[in-house]
Amino acid sequence: MSLYLKDPQARIDHGIDWSASLTGQSVTDSLWSVSPVEAGGLAVEDGGLEAARARVRLSGGLVGRLYRVTNSVTLSDGQALERSVTFRVEE
């Protein structure tokens, strides 16, 4: 798991490149989630797919808190994959 820093006022884009995990398949669906879910916490504003890259726009977050952001994808052959990164919110 990777650790990234984020300012609470910043809106940032983050992406996960799934191409190294694909052997002839394509990514057909992508879902992003944040844990923990809390008032004023880190939030998913928008997400999407660009070929084998899943992208998300994140906003908010409480200073000093750690959030796990998880991308779950479905491949064209029905497989499901998941990858998480951690964001720490700091001024």
Side-chain angles (χ1 to χ4, degrees):
M1 204 171 353
S2 301
L3 176 67
Y4 298 91
L5 298 178
K6 184 198 169 298
D7 184 277
Q9 276 70 41
R11 294 172 60 203
I12 62 168
D13 293 326
H14 182 75
I16 294 180
D17 184 351
W18 290 96
S19 60
S21 300
L22 305 177
T23 53
Q25 312 97 321
S26 60
V27 178
T28 59
D29 192 31
S30 172
L31 176 67
W32 291 91
S33 61
V34 175
S35 179
V37 175
E38 58 189 353
L42 191 66
V44 172
E45 280 190 13
D46 185 33
L49 281 172
E50 299 164 356
R53 180 178 163 82
R55 62 171 177 73
V56 66
R57 176 162 290 159
L58 301 167
S59 64
L62 301 173
V63 173
R65 298 284 289 167
L66 289 172
Y67 297 93
R68 183 178 56 219
V69 177
T70 302
N71 182 221
S72 303
V73 296
T74 304
L75 304 184
S76 55
D77 65 358
Q79 289 186 68
L81 302 176
E82 188 173 278
R83 194 174 296 165
S84 297
V85 294
T86 301
F87 283 85
R88 179 174 174 83
V89 178
E90 294 184 7
E91 289 284 345

